[in-house]
């Protein structure tokens, strides 16, 4: 029973961001990008900072930047839980650069390990965002 | 007998109070709608997360290597109570009912010889708890500048809780909030955050895999390690959202009652006012008539 398409849902804690039927969705998994096609075996994976690509009718229709989260594949359905998601087209290079600069400063100012780890996560996030925006 | 003038002033003052309470009720009603929408919008994420949690914990139960957030520290000596209340008053028994529940728990725990620490979210709860449990309040989160609670606030609270947990400052965490049932009924609720509780019904909510089993990438433990802190933020977020909706609901019904009371008061005062006005007219008439007869 191979369905024609994968049901892709992108959810953030605040709302359901996107729900589409796609041919293929490429997800930036922790252990490497993976493409989800119809008939994919059940999988739960963590996601690193990166871009999700949704392919409908042979063309990439959506490119969305996500800052970490989880992906679950089951029964031709892909659910991505992300706390932060921004369409790549809406990323503003200048703003991201500024945010990255601020994050780096925070990292240098961080006093304890906890603050340092947090600032580092921010730096990584904005670096990935900048890459995506390029 | 109060004078006619003082009655008139009184009626007018009650009338303006009624205008205020009526306006507050309308504001609460529109805010309630928004809060309810926010709570609805958060549901898909919470549901999916619960189902992933369920699939993972099924694979993990009984394992010694399960993360501490899930199995706890093995002790239950120090309890952290996160008491989420509103920033403002004038919302009926909303704040007091949460505080009452928290107090009962505090007494129970202290009687059992446990140490209690309190994390207050919202000004009203802190003010009430400060009276007799001031020494137990470990921290306070001020949300008075936040117009609409978002996930960022919840995450901040969760981060603080996690930092405390990692520093070994407590063993068990509970959150207190009002569960929104309807406009007239909000139920004060306690929920255990650490060790994480996996809802029993969520186990059945996971998708039917038709005999297949999940692959985990990179592996179960890494995923759980990342999932649990997020789950904590989500639980806090949910509590805050429920609270926001409950607060507006409670305020709405409190203000509705106040408006009705003011209406009744105006009615009563108007009757008294009319009676005394008539009595005065009658008195004046009698005076005139008896004066005329005497001539």
């Amino acid at each position: 029973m191979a369905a024609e398409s994968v049901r892709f849902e992108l959810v953030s804690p605040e709302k359901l961001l996107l729900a589409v039927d796609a041919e293929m969705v490429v997800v930036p998994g922790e252990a490497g990008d993976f493409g989800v096609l119809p008939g994919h075996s059940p999988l739960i994976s963590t996601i690193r900072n990166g871009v999700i690509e949704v392919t409908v009718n042979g063309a990439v229709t959506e490119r969305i930047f996500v800052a970490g989260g989880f992906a679950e594949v089951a029964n031709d359905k892909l659910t991505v839980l992300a706390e932060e998601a921004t369409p790549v087209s809406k990323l503003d290079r200048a703003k991201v650069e500024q945010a990255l600069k601020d994050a780096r400063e925070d990292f240098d100012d961080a006093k304890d390990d906890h603050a340092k780890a947090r600032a580092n996560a921010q730096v990584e996030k904005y670096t990935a965002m900048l890459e995506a925006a390029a | 007998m109060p004078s006619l003038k003082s009655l008139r002033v009184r009626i007018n003052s009650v009338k303006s109070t009624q205008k205020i309470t009526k306006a507050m009720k309308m504001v609460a009603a529109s805010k309630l709608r928004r809060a309810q929408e926010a709570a609805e919008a958060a549901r898909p994420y919470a549901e999916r997360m619960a189902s992933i949690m369920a699939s993972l914990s099924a694979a993990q139960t009984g394992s010694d290597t399960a993360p501490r957030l899930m199995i706890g520290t093995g002790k239950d000596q120090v309890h952290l109570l996160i008491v989420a209340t509103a920033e403002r008053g004038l919302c009926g028994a909303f704040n007091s009912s949460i505080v009452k529940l928290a107090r009962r728990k505090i007494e129970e725990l202290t009687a059992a010889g446990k140490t209690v620490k309190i994390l207050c979210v919202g000004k009203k709860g802190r003010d009430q708890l400060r009276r007799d449990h001031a020494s137990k309040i470990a921290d306070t989160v001020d949300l008075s500048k936040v117009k609409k609670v978002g996930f960022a606030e919840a995450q901040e609270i969760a981060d603080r809780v996690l930092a405390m947990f990692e520093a070994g400052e407590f063993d068990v965490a509970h959150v207190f909030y009002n569960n929104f049932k309807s406009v007239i009924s909000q139920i004060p609720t306690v929920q255990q955050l650490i060790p994480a509780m996996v809802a029993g019904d969520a186990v059945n909510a996971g998708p039917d895999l038709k005999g297949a089993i999940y692959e985990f990438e990179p592996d179960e433990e890494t995923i759980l390690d990342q999932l649990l802190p997020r789950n904590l933020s989500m639980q806090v977020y949910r509590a805050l959202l429920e609270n926001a909706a409950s607060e507006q609901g409670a305020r709405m019904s409190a203000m509705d009652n106040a408006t009705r009371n003011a209406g009744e008061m105006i009615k009563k005062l108007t009757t008294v006012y009319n009676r005394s006005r008539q009595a005065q007219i009658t008195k004046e008439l009698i005076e005139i008539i008896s004066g005329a007869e005497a001539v």
Side-chain angles (χ1 to χ4, degrees):
Chain A
M1 186 211 74
E4 294 291 302
S5 61
V6 185
R7 179 83 187 153
F8 171 54
E9 283 182 4
L10 179 62
V11 248
S12 82
E14 268 146 30
K15 62 180 185 223
L16 182 68
L17 290 169
L18 185 71
V20 287
D21 289 316
E23 236 160 65
M24 178 173 86
V25 184
V26 178
V27 182
E30 186 85 52
D33 289 9
F34 58 89
V36 179
L37 288 142
H40 197 287
S41 64
L43 169 80
I44 294 176
S45 172
T46 49
I47 299 179
R48 63 187 156 77
N49 300 328
V51 178
I52 295 181
E53 283 181 359
V54 184
T55 309
V56 182
N57 293 331
V60 175
T61 52
E62 304 259 7
R63 299 185 76 231
I64 305 151
F65 177 83
V66 285
F70 300 92
E72 183 194 19
V73 186
N75 302 337
D76 289 327
K77 199 172 157 212
L78 167 66
T79 314
V80 172
L81 304 181
E83 266 136 55
E84 258 190 85
T86 332
V88 170
S89 56
K90 288 215 181 106
L91 286 177
D92 183 346
R93 229 190 131 78
K95 268 191 196 151
V96 177
E97 266 167 19
Q98 182 58 40
L100 178 60
K101 219 178 105 211
D102 291 348
R104 285 221 173 97
E105 276 165 21
D106 283 351
F107 182 69
D108 292 335
D109 293 343
K111 286 181 186 66
D112 52 281
D113 285 352
H114 187 65
K116 221 163 200 142
R118 241 180 109 155
N120 192 33
Q122 290 288 317
V123 171
E124 274 170 15
K125 186 177 100 185
Y126 288 119
T127 313
M129 212 186 251
L130 201 61
E131 246 170 56
Chain B
M1 193 80 190
S3 73
L4 284 181
K5 181 152 189 282
S6 71
L7 272 172
R8 225 165 22 227
V9 171
R10 184 95 198 276
I11 290 172
N12 277 332
S13 99
V14 177
K15 265 186 190 156
S16 45
T17 308
Q18 189 189 28
K19 263 183 211 149
I20 294 170
T21 56
K22 210 172 189 172
M24 281 182 80
K25 184 194 148 192
M26 311 249 235
V27 171
S30 81
K31 279 192 182 161
L32 171 67
R33 222 191 40 235
R34 249 176 296 151
Q36 264 179 304
E37 274 164 17
E40 294 272 313
R43 208 157 291 160
Y45 190 89
E47 276 167 12
R48 309 272 147 76
M49 188 164 258
S51 87
I52 295 186
M53 279 281 284
S55 334
L56 274 170
S57 61
Q60 278 282 316
T61 27
S63 141
D64 298 334
T65 52
R68 294 204 311 162
L69 275 176
M70 186 133 138
I71 50 166
T73 54
K75 292 180 289 186
D76 66 338
Q77 187 52 38
V78 186
H79 286 245
L80 178 75
L81 307 182
I82 304 162
V83 183
T85 52
E87 288 293 339
R88 288 164 205 220
L90 287 182
C91 43
F94 175 81
N95 291 313
S96 334
S97 60
I98 302 175
V99 171
K100 208 158 85 189
L101 190 71
R103 275 219 180 99
R104 207 178 306 145
K105 184 91 183 170
I106 293 170
E107 275 155 27
E108 220 173 84
L109 288 172
T110 10
K114 314 274 188 214
T115 319
V116 179
K117 287 184 181 170
I118 307 170
L119 173 68
C120 289
V121 180
K123 200 174 75 188
K124 287 285 157 187
R126 187 199 57 197
D127 290 350
Q128 289 192 29
L129 283 170
R130 205 161 44 179
R131 266 176 243 151
D132 39 2
H133 298 293
S135 59
K136 297 190 186 74
I137 297 181
D139 207 349
T140 316
V141 179
D142 188 7
L143 294 177
S144 57
K145 281 169 195 72
V146 182
K147 272 219 163 116
K148 184 177 171 291
V149 283
F151 191 67
E153 283 80 40
Q155 204 158 27
E156 203 175 296
I157 296 171
D159 276 350
R160 268 196 223 193
V161 173
L162 279 178
M164 284 174 80
F165 185 69
E166 270 153 28
E169 286 179 41
F170 66 87
D171 303 312
V172 182
H174 284 94
V175 63
F176 290 79
Y177 63 98
N178 262 334
N179 205 351
F180 182 83
K181 203 171 164 210
S182 71
V183 178
I184 41 165
S185 142
Q186 296 90 31
I187 301 153
T189 314
V190 199
Q191 199 185 344
Q192 187 172 321
L193 290 181
I194 301 172
M197 299 276 274
V198 179
D201 51 350
V203 176
N204 306 322
D208 175 22
L209 298 177
K210 303 184 183 75
I213 46 165
Y214 275 110
E215 255 174 73
F216 296 99
E217 214 180 277
D219 54 61
E220 281 110 314
E221 272 161 50
T222 321
I223 297 178
L224 258 184
D225 268 346
Q226 290 200 21
L227 186 64
L228 286 167
R230 277 167 218 243
N231 186 49
L232 182 72
S233 316
M234 194 59 212
Q235 302 285 358
V236 174
Y237 182 52
R238 214 181 70 100
L240 290 184
L241 285 178
E242 288 284 342
N243 237 4
S246 300
E247 181 193 342
Q248 298 308 339
R251 177 164 300 128
M252 201 177 129
S253 53
M255 287 302 121
D256 189 41
N257 277 341
T259 311
R260 215 169 314 137
N261 271 347
E264 262 166 43
M265 208 162 167
I266 291 170
K267 221 189 225 165
K268 261 186 219 152
L269 284 173
T270 315
T271 320
V272 174
Y273 174 76
N274 285 342
R275 279 223 186 106
S276 44
R277 196 173 58 98
Q278 269 173 345
Q280 203 178 352
I281 293 169
T282 318
K283 204 175 96 199
E284 276 169 17
L285 275 178
I286 291 171
E287 274 165 16
I288 293 168
I289 294 165
S290 47
E293 269 172 7
V295 176

